[in-house]
Amino acid sequence: YMEFRLVDNANVSIDLYSVLGTKIKTIVSLKNLGGFQKINLSSSGLTSGIYILKIIVDGQSLSKKLIVK
């Protein structure tokens, strides 16, 4: 799972990509999300390897590496 806190309400999306840049799935796409959040990141259906999580909050993006064993 992934935990984060938003000071103000925001539009949030979290997408999962392969290391080659292919979008695999959207994990979360919510509007007016605020406060403390806990998102379940299930690796069900994913093969072992390295993936990229792209997190976008009100247009600002951040990418994080995700390793599935």
Side-chain angles (χ1 to χ4, degrees):
Y1 63 92
M2 177 175 148
E3 295 178 339
F4 58 93
R5 185 174 70 89
L6 298 168
V7 177
D8 297 317
N9 285 357
N11 297 328
V12 176
S13 67
I14 302 173
D15 297 319
L16 182 68
Y17 289 84
S18 72
V19 290
L20 299 176
T22 304
K23 185 175 177 178
I24 297 171
K25 66 179 177 178
T26 296
I27 298 171
V28 169
S29 181
L30 298 169
K31 296 182 187 284
N32 292 322
L33 191 65
F36 180 78
Q37 303 297 320
K38 187 173 182 177
I39 307 294
N40 184 23
L41 298 176
S42 173
S43 61
S44 175
L46 298 176
T47 59
S48 296
I50 298 173
Y51 298 87
I52 304 297
L53 281 174
K54 185 174 182 182
I55 304 158
I56 302 172
V57 178
D58 279 346
Q60 295 184 345
S61 69
L62 169 72
S63 296
K64 290 290 188 179
K65 180 170 54 173
L66 175 69
I67 299 172
V68 176
K69 294 184 180 183

